[in-house]
Amino acid sequence: MAITVKFFASLRERLGCTERQIDFSEPITVAEVWTLVGDGQPISENVLIAVNMEYAGAETVVRDGDEVAFFPPVTGGGGP
Amino acid sequence: MAITVKFFASLRERLGCTERQIDFSEPITVAEVWTLVGDGQPISENVLIAVNMEYAGAETVVRDGDEVAFFPPVTGGGGP
Amino acid sequence: MTVHIINAPFDPWQEVANYQQAYLKRAGRFGATACFIGTMRDFNEGENVQAMELEHYPGMTEKYLGKLTEEARRQWPILDSLIIHRYGHLQPNEPIVLVVVWSAHRAAAFKACYYLVEELKANAPFWKKETLATGTRWVESNTSS
Amino acid sequence: MTVHIINAPFDPWQEVANYQQAYLKRAGRFGATACFIGTMRDFNEGENVQAMELEHYPGMTEKYLGKLTEEARRQWPILDSLIIHRYGHLQPNEPIVLVVVWSAHRAAAFKACYYLVEELKANAPFWKKETLATGTRWVESNTSS
């Protein structure tokens, strides 16, 4: 089983990675994905998670072909 | 002493008058102005009053040169 | 802080673009623009409306809207505002009123714009007379929303 | 119900005029148009901002804003909506986001527009990186208002 992992914004810069693939054989949670791709620390409250482009929690189980994204708090819209 | 009295919208049509002057010798309230210019009935809650282009109550005392206006509830802005 | 009471059709998007162009000396300062446009519909209370006569109280209208603008400025940190209101003969689909507020942040812009629109509808001395297929009628009261 | 995510400057007033022109088949039905424009300022947290890079999550942005629009439509009787959001390289005073809602009555238009703007700012996957005189910095959090 394989998933795509994406990083955005300051997290992308900090981890030095935009996108990577990871393989696994057992069902796996987003938190476990983070242990494979993250910075060695537990997921911070300042890291948001999306699975298949929808917001998700760290306990979400990911499946073959899923896209998991990690990113910092969003800052879109007008003004600062 | 003389004041100008104006009527607007459905009230203007009902009374058949846009503007008139009235003369008086004693201080006079808006309610008393209405008895001179109105339809013979007490001022209805559906008649709004402005004195010198500001909303006012029926007990307001008017002075020489004032402009008193009577009109129905307003219906400006968008939509109906 | 500008109020125009006009008796000819206007293009609200063009007006606000022009105003903002003239206002560009404040470019970079405003982060939020909130805007409302009220447009004449072709139906009201179940009837087709063919045209409308919009009467107002010249002088009091400008005075009231000027005071309203000042009150909004006291309540919120707004940078500028523009109100344009039609009077006279209107056809369906023509804009009746434009209210625009510029501010550094969105909450002030939204709240001030909403305030101006609600107060204008509640108190500005305008009256609508609709032309239906069967004749004319004065609109008796504004909808509450 | 339209969402555009674009990477070039846009004129919000022209866009909304064009959209409304295309949308005129509904002329006479909408009595209220509420509109919000977020514009890049040249200052933030006491510093002059010279430029901005706006990153987003292609795919998720469109998906999120599409769902948001559907949710607004469920909550209020809105006739149409238009959202345009920039990404890429921005200069001060350039519009970042345009949100427009058309409805028969003003309450629905105002409330839906406010809802879309607040939810967009809170959750749409965009990130701002500012260029200051001293270097670049990621904006860490949105202002609450």
Side-chain angles (χ1 to χ4, degrees):
Chain A
M1 295 190 282
I3 61 170
T4 301
V5 183
K6 292 185 172 183
F7 305 96
F8 291 95
S10 56
L11 192 60
R12 170 178 56 73
E13 288 187 351
R14 184 154 64 83
L15 297 176
C17 179
T18 297
E19 179 174 334
R20 54 185 286 189
Q21 312 290 322
I22 61 169
D23 293 292
F24 50 93
S25 48
E26 304 273 314
I28 187 176
T29 66
V30 168
E32 289 166 327
V33 173
W34 178 259
T35 61
L36 295 173
V37 303
D39 56 5
Q41 305 293 323
I43 302 186
S44 152
E45 284 188 359
N46 276 327
V47 174
L48 303 181
I49 299 157
V51 174
N52 296 331
M53 301 182 177
E54 301 208 4
Y55 283 105
E59 297 315 307
T60 306
V61 176
V62 298
R63 300 171 188 184
D64 189 39
D66 279 358
E67 176 171 302
V68 177
F70 298 101
F71 46 79
V74 303
T75 55
Chain B
M1 295 189 282
I3 62 170
T4 301
V5 183
K6 292 185 172 184
F7 305 96
F8 291 94
S10 57
L11 192 60
R12 170 178 55 72
E13 289 188 350
R14 186 154 64 83
L15 297 177
C17 179
T18 298
E19 179 174 335
R20 54 186 284 190
Q21 312 290 322
I22 61 169
D23 293 291
F24 50 94
S25 48
E26 304 274 311
I28 187 175
T29 66
V30 169
E32 289 166 328
V33 173
W34 178 259
T35 61
L36 296 173
V37 303
D39 55 6
Q41 304 294 322
I43 302 188
S44 154
E45 284 188 358
N46 276 327
V47 174
L48 303 182
I49 300 157
V51 175
N52 296 331
M53 300 184 176
E54 301 210 3
Y55 284 105
E59 297 314 307
T60 306
V61 175
V62 298
R63 301 172 188 185
D64 189 40
D66 280 357
E67 176 172 301
V68 177
F70 297 102
F71 45 81
V74 304
T75 54
Chain C
M1 304 289 171
T2 300
V3 173
H4 290 309
I5 311 299
I6 62 175
N7 69 354
F10 72 106
D11 176 340
W13 311 113
Q14 189 61 48
E15 292 291 334
V16 71
N18 292 350
Y19 190 82
Q20 198 166 291
Q21 190 69 28
Y23 166 91
L24 276 183
K25 53 188 177 293
R26 288 192 173 160
R29 287 183 56 201
F30 60 92
T33 310
C35 170
F36 177 82
I37 291 147
T39 304
M40 185 181 157
R41 299 186 312 178
D42 58 12
F43 63 96
N44 186 24
E45 293 174 15
E47 303 237 36
N48 286 328
V49 182
Q50 300 173 346
M52 194 166 74
E53 205 64 39
L54 190 49
E55 182 173 334
H56 81 121
Y57 183 171
M60 181 170 172
T61 306
E62 293 82 352
K63 188 174 186 178
Y64 178 76
L65 294 178
K67 285 177 65 176
L68 197 56
T69 299
E70 285 308 309
E71 181 57 32
R73 198 175 198 169
R74 264 193 295 276
Q75 289 192 42
W76 295 282
I78 67 183
L79 293 168
D80 206 347
S81 67
L82 171 64
I83 298 176
I84 299 177
H85 203 299
R86 281 287 302 278
Y87 69 97
H89 189 75
L90 282 92
Q91 302 287 342
N93 201 42
E94 288 183 358
I96 300 170
V97 61
L98 165 71
V99 176
V100 193
V101 175
W102 289 267
S103 182
H105 294 285
R106 70 189 184 285
F110 257 123
K111 287 177 184 171
C113 184
Y114 187 76
Y115 170 82
L116 289 172
V117 171
E118 294 297 310
E119 294 296 314
L120 185 158
K121 287 201 70 119
N123 297 314
F126 288 96
W127 302 274
K128 293 185 177 126
K129 188 179 196 176
E130 296 175 339
T131 302
L132 312 174
T134 51
T136 62
R137 69 174 176 197
W138 288 97
V139 177
E140 290 298 323
S141 65
N142 260 330
T143 52
S144 63
S145 61
Chain D
M1 303 290 170
T2 301
V3 174
H4 290 308
I5 311 299
I6 61 175
N7 68 353
F10 72 106
D11 176 339
W13 312 113
Q14 189 62 50
E15 292 290 335
V16 72
N18 292 349
Y19 190 82
Q20 198 167 291
Q21 189 70 28
Y23 165 91
L24 276 184
K25 55 187 176 294
R26 288 191 172 160
R29 287 183 57 203
F30 60 91
T33 311
C35 170
F36 177 82
I37 291 146
T39 304
M40 185 178 158
R41 299 185 312 178
D42 59 11
F43 64 96
N44 186 24
E45 294 174 15
E47 303 237 34
N48 286 327
V49 182
Q50 300 173 346
M52 194 168 73
E53 205 64 40
L54 190 49
E55 183 173 334
H56 81 122
Y57 184 170
M60 180 168 171
T61 306
E62 293 82 351
K63 188 174 184 177
Y64 178 77
L65 293 178
K67 285 178 64 177
L68 196 57
T69 298
E70 286 307 310
E71 182 56 32
R73 197 176 200 168
R74 263 193 296 277
Q75 289 191 43
W76 296 281
I78 67 183
L79 292 167
D80 205 347
S81 67
L82 170 64
I83 298 176
I84 299 178
H85 203 299
R86 281 288 301 280
Y87 70 97
H89 189 76
L90 282 92
Q91 303 286 343
N93 201 40
E94 288 182 359
I96 300 171
V97 61
L98 166 71
V99 176
V100 193
V101 175
W102 289 267
S103 181
H105 294 285
R106 69 190 186 283
F110 258 122
K111 287 177 185 172
C113 185
Y114 187 75
Y115 170 82
L116 290 173
V117 171
E118 292 298 309
E119 294 294 314
L120 185 158
K121 288 202 69 120
N123 298 313
F126 288 96
W127 301 274
K128 294 186 177 125
K129 189 180 196 176
E130 296 174 339
T131 301
L132 312 175
T134 52
T136 62
R137 70 176 176 195
W138 288 98
V139 178
E140 291 298 325
S141 66
N142 261 331
T143 51
S144 62
S145 62

Coordinates of all heavy atoms in Angstrom, one line a residue, chain D residues 3 6 18 22 33 48 60 62 70 84 88 97 121 134 139:
Chain D
V3 N -16.4 29.4 -8.3 CA -15.2 29.7 -7.5 C -14.0 29.7 -8.5 O -13.9 28.8 -9.4 CB -15.0 28.5 -6.5 CG1 -13.6 28.7 -5.8 CG2 -16.1 28.5 -5.4
I6 N -7.0 32.0 -8.9 CA -6.3 32.6 -10.1 C -4.9 33.1 -9.6 O -4.7 33.5 -8.4 CB -7.0 33.7 -10.8 CG1 -7.3 34.9 -9.8 CG2 -8.3 33.2 -11.3 CD1 -7.9 36.1 -10.4
N18 N -18.9 41.8 -14.9 CA -19.0 40.7 -16.0 C -19.8 39.6 -15.6 O -20.6 39.1 -16.4 CB -17.6 40.2 -16.3 CG -16.7 41.3 -16.9 OD1 -17.2 42.3 -17.4 ND2 -15.4 41.0 -17.0
A22 N -23.4 38.2 -17.3 CA -23.6 36.8 -17.8 C -24.9 36.2 -17.0 O -25.5 35.4 -17.5 CB -22.4 36.0 -17.5
T33 N -27.4 42.4 -3.3 CA -26.1 41.9 -3.6 C -25.1 42.4 -2.5 O -25.0 43.6 -2.2 CB -25.6 42.5 -4.9 OG1 -26.6 42.3 -5.9 CG2 -24.3 41.8 -5.4
N48 N 6.4 47.5 7.3 CA 6.1 47.7 5.9 C 6.2 46.4 5.1 O 7.2 45.7 5.3 CB 7.0 48.7 5.3 CG 6.6 50.1 5.7 OD1 5.4 50.4 6.0 ND2 7.6 51.0 5.8
M60 N -7.5 21.0 -3.0 CA -8.2 21.1 -1.7 C -8.9 22.5 -1.6 O -10.0 22.6 -1.1 CB -7.3 20.9 -0.5 CG -8.1 21.1 0.8 SD -7.1 20.5 2.2 CE -8.3 21.1 3.6
E62 N -10.2 24.4 -4.0 CA -11.5 24.4 -4.8 C -12.5 23.5 -4.2 O -13.7 23.8 -4.1 CB -11.2 23.8 -6.2 CG -10.3 24.7 -7.1 CD -8.8 24.6 -6.8 OE1 -8.4 23.9 -5.8 OE2 -8.0 25.2 -7.6
E70 N -21.9 25.4 -1.1 CA -23.1 24.5 -1.0 C -23.7 24.7 0.4 O -24.9 24.7 0.6 CB -22.7 23.0 -1.2 CG -22.5 22.7 -2.7 CD -23.7 23.2 -3.5 OE1 -24.8 22.8 -3.2 OE2 -23.4 23.9 -4.5
I84 N -13.6 34.7 -5.9 CA -12.3 34.7 -6.6 C -11.2 34.9 -5.6 O -11.3 35.8 -4.8 CB -12.3 35.9 -7.7 CG1 -13.4 35.7 -8.7 CG2 -10.9 35.9 -8.4 CD1 -13.5 36.8 -9.8
G88 N -0.1 33.1 -5.6 CA 1.2 33.5 -6.3 C 1.7 34.8 -5.7 O 1.5 35.1 -4.5
V97 N -9.0 38.7 -2.4 CA -10.2 37.8 -2.5 C -11.4 38.7 -2.7 O -11.5 39.8 -2.3 CB -10.4 37.0 -1.2 CG1 -10.5 37.9 0.0 CG2 -11.6 36.0 -1.3
K121 N -11.5 32.5 5.5 CA -10.3 32.9 6.2 C -9.9 31.9 7.3 O -8.7 31.7 7.5 CB -10.6 34.3 6.9 CG -10.6 35.4 5.9 CD -10.3 36.8 6.6 CE -8.9 36.9 7.1 NZ -8.2 38.0 6.4
T134 N 13.7 43.6 5.6 CA 14.7 42.8 6.3 C 14.7 41.3 5.9 O 15.4 40.5 6.5 CB 14.4 42.9 7.8 OG1 13.1 42.5 8.1 CG2 14.7 44.3 8.4
V139 N 3.3 34.6 7.6 CA 2.3 35.0 8.5 C 1.8 33.8 9.3 O 1.4 32.8 8.7 CB 1.1 35.7 7.7 CG1 0.0 36.2 8.7 CG2 1.6 36.9 6.9

